[in-house]
Every structure is written in C-alpha cells, then in structure tokens.
C-alpha cells in the first residue's frame, strides 16, 4: 500500500510498523529516514531562529491557511491512503482540506484522520493506523509492548506517590504567551504521579503568568511545541525574566525542565510512552529508571546556579 502521511506522529508510527510512506509533511523528521522523503506540505510561518513571541505573532497574522498542501506533488506519489489529523488546526493541514484534495485525485485515495484527545486515544491510534495499512499484527505487538511500559510506570508511580505525594505540576507547551498543555498531557501527569489539576481537561489553552505563579508548581516542565531541547532551554531563559520566576518552588528545588517538544509530549505517536517515562523521572527522580527513556531530550535547571546554566538529565 502507498501511504502519504501529513502528520509527524503518524509518520513515526508508520515507520515503527515497518511501512515507509511515499510522501510526508514538511514537519516529519523522525526517524531520520523520514527527512529524505518527498515533502507534500509547507508553511508560511518562519520558525528558524525566531522567538516564541515572534512565531505566535506570525501565526496570528496569517490570513488563510497556516499550512499548504502541494496537490501536484501529492498526485505524483499516487497514494492509496492519506493519513492526517483533526485534533489541532495549528499542528498540520486541516482534515477537511485533505479530504477535499483527495476528492480531486484519480483514483481517489482513502483518508484516515487521527483525532486523539487523551493518552489512551493516542496509543489506540497505533492500532487504527496498523489496521488501515494492513499491519494489524505489527500494530498489536507494538501496542502490547507500550501497554507493558505504561503499566510499569503506573506501578512505580503508585509507590512514589505513597512515599512522596503528588508534586504540584505544570506543563507548558508554549511560553510567550504561556500555554498550558492539554489533550493527553493531563493523563500523563496523573499516570506519572503528579498533580494534574493545572492541565486543562481538553485542548491546550493560554494561561496568565500570574496564574502559573499562583499555582507555584513544584515541577515545571517546558516543552514548547515544535522546539528541540536547545530552543526549549532558551524558552526557559525567557520565563526566567518574568516576575516571580525565582520564587517558584520548582526553581528553588531545581525541578524546572526544558524538554524537546518535538521528540517528547507534543506528538501523539507511540513515542508518548517515552515521554511518560521521562515525565515520571522529572516528577519522581528517586523512583525512576536510570536513565529514563528520552533522558537526552531533557535539560534540568540547576537550582544552585543561575537559570541560564543547565544540567542534563532528569
């Protein structure tokens, strides 16, 4: 089957199932082989070396679609199936646009629109994608392995919570303006043994910095959408300039984490389990595996030095 993936998380899952797409979105960068495939989308937003505030301003100023689908390239790769998403209108080409483009192709490909809103939804999409591409057995095996890892985190988290309680936790997926991470992140915080009440029970949403300070998180996880770890570190530096940052319990205790949002948290692929294991290591480091999955994608603020100095690991 010839599959075109317009969604980075789907591309990751397809590769994990042994299926190489015939074309991908401009954001698909994992595994590295995905970067060599035909690009079927583009964006008018310039992310390179731009601040979070600048990128946000660009997104707000766009008159029309943020992402463009190249229908000529799409037709050239002759897909049997298009995989897209209906979860977030700032993450990928809108599903309605993809369906309209599919209607204009001859022959018309099928369209699978992933729409995960919870941690379980994201893992269940592994099976949905596997069924759509005829890799049911591989998907079932992958899903089972993910479930075992989740159960292991759940068991460790129960012991950690019994010993230490649930730390007040805040996960941000943007910093200027601050946006608290939603969808599957609330579930992940709870599974990892944190207090999830700061995270919205729904999509990510803006939050006033004053409300972050009022929350006074004991663990602050900064995973800006689309940023790698180094750019997330700069985002933390920006937060450090805000009033009240130094007074946060997370800062005083060295529990501020800059996270590669591209590799962890932002994409609802099977790699969310890596994110869960890494989050558990941030919230309960004394109970976590050493090193946790994704440890190289996390930088921890060292409370003993200035906020601009980083120490790797959870």
């Amino acid at each position: 089957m010839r599959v075109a993936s317009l969604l980075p998380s789907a591309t990751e899952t397809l590769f994990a199932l042994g299926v190489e797409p015939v074309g991908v979105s401009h954001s698909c960068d994992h595994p590295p082989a995905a970067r060599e495939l035909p690009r079927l989308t583009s964006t008018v937003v310039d992310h390179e070396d731009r601040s979070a505030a600048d990128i946000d301003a660009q997104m707000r100023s766009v008159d029309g679609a943020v992402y463009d689908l190249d229908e000529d390239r799409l037709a050239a790769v002759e897909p049997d199936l298009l995989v897209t998403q209906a979860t977030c209108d700032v993450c990928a080409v809108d599903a309605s646009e993809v369906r309209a483009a599919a209607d204009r192709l001859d022959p018309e490909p099928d369209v699978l629109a992933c729409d995960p809103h919870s941690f379980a939804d994201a893992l269940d999409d592994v099976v949905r994608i596997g069924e759509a591409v005829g890799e049911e057995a591989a998907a079932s095996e992958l899903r089972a392995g993910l479930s075992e890892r989740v159960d292991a985190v759940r068991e460790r988290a129960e012991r950690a919570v019994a010993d230490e309680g649930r730390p007040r936790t805040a996960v941000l997926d943007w910093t200027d303006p601050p946006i608290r991470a939603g969808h599957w992140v609330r579930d992940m915080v709870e599974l990892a043994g944190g207090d999830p009440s700061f995270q919205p029970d729904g999509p990510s949403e803006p939050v006033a910095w004053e409300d972050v300070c009022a929350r006074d998180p004991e663990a602050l996880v900064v995973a800006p959408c689309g940023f790698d770890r180094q750019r997330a570190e700069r985002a933390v530096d920006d937060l450090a300039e805000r009033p009240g940052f130094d007074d946060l319990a997370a800062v005083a205790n060295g529990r501020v984490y800059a996270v590669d949002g591209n590799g962890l948290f932002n994409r609802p692929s099977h790699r969310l389990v890596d994110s869960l294991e890494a989050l558990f290591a941030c919230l309960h480091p004394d109970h976590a595996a050493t090193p946790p999955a994704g440890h190289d994608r996390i930088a921890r603020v060292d409370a003993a030095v200035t906020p601009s100095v980083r120490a790797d690991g959870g």
Side-chain angles (χ1 to χ4, degrees):
M1 175 179 288
R2 298 179 63 81
V3 185
S5 172
L6 308 179
L7 184 62
S9 59
T11 298
E12 296 176 7
T13 299
L14 286 165
F15 270 96
L17 298 178
V19 176
E20 181 173 307
V22 295
V24 296
S25 81
H26 65 282
S27 298
C28 294
D29 55 12
H30 183 85
R35 301 171 186 169
E36 307 302 320
L37 300 176
R39 296 305 208 215
L40 305 178
T41 68
S42 61
T43 180
V44 297
V45 176
D46 181 10
H47 296 79
E48 191 68 26
D49 294 326
R50 300 298 184 98
S51 69
D54 187 6
I55 294 171
D56 180 74
Q58 289 185 66
M59 297 287 284
R60 294 176 184 275
S61 68
V62 172
D63 183 13
V66 174
Y67 300 100
D68 295 316
L69 177 62
D70 190 324
E71 294 193 28
D72 289 337
R73 286 189 178 184
L74 180 61
V77 300
E78 301 179 331
D80 302 307
L81 174 69
L82 301 180
V83 185
T84 185
Q85 62 91 37
T87 304
C88 175
D89 60 4
V90 298
C91 292
V93 179
D94 184 77
S96 60
E97 182 181 346
V98 175
R99 290 192 177 97
D103 288 342
R104 292 188 286 269
L105 294 179
D106 185 20
E108 180 181 340
D110 293 327
V111 176
L112 173 64
C114 299
D115 190 20
H117 293 277
S118 68
F119 185 71
D121 287 345
L123 299 191
D124 287 345
D125 273 347
V126 170
V127 176
R128 291 184 65 224
I129 293 172
E131 291 173 347
V133 300
E135 294 291 344
E136 293 90 345
S140 179
E141 182 178 357
L142 176 58
R143 182 67 172 84
L146 296 172
S147 295
E148 290 180 3
R149 291 169 61 190
V150 172
D151 288 343
V153 172
R154 182 185 289 109
E155 292 173 4
R156 288 187 179 211
E158 289 174 353
R159 294 193 294 269
V161 169
D163 290 344
E164 304 169 346
R166 290 183 177 272
R168 295 187 305 277
T169 303
V171 182
L172 301 180
D173 62 15
W174 203 250
T175 53
D176 196 358
I179 296 178
R180 49 185 168 188
H183 295 301
W184 44 86
V185 172
R186 185 183 177 97
D187 298 338
M188 291 169 60
V189 171
E190 184 165 15
L191 281 167
D195 178 349
S197 58
F198 181 78
Q199 311 307 136
D201 187 13
S204 298
E205 63 182 21
V207 59
W209 176 247
E210 293 77 10
D211 291 338
V212 178
C213 293
R215 171 67 170 173
D216 191 22
E218 296 168 294
L220 174 60
V221 179
V222 179
C225 189
F227 280 11
D228 60 18
R229 195 191 77 179
Q230 287 71 32
R231 294 190 69 188
E233 290 176 17
R234 296 202 294 272
V236 171
D237 287 338
D238 291 340
L239 286 182
E241 299 298 321
R242 291 178 177 264
F245 180 85
D246 290 338
D247 298 325
L248 296 178
V251 175
N253 297 325
R255 303 285 294 280
V256 179
Y257 299 91
V259 178
D260 176 356
N262 251 351
L264 300 172
F265 290 95
N266 300 158
R267 297 178 179 178
S269 75
H270 62 289
R271 291 204 295 163
L272 274 187
V273 177
D274 292 352
S275 307
L276 176 66
E277 292 169 346
L279 179 60
F280 176 60
C282 293
L283 302 185
H284 296 285
D286 293 340
H287 291 261
T290 305
H295 71 284
D296 58 332
R297 298 178 183 272
I298 301 171
R300 179 177 58 81
V301 171
D302 188 337
V305 293
T306 58
S308 62
V309 179
R310 301 286 179 255
D312 288 349

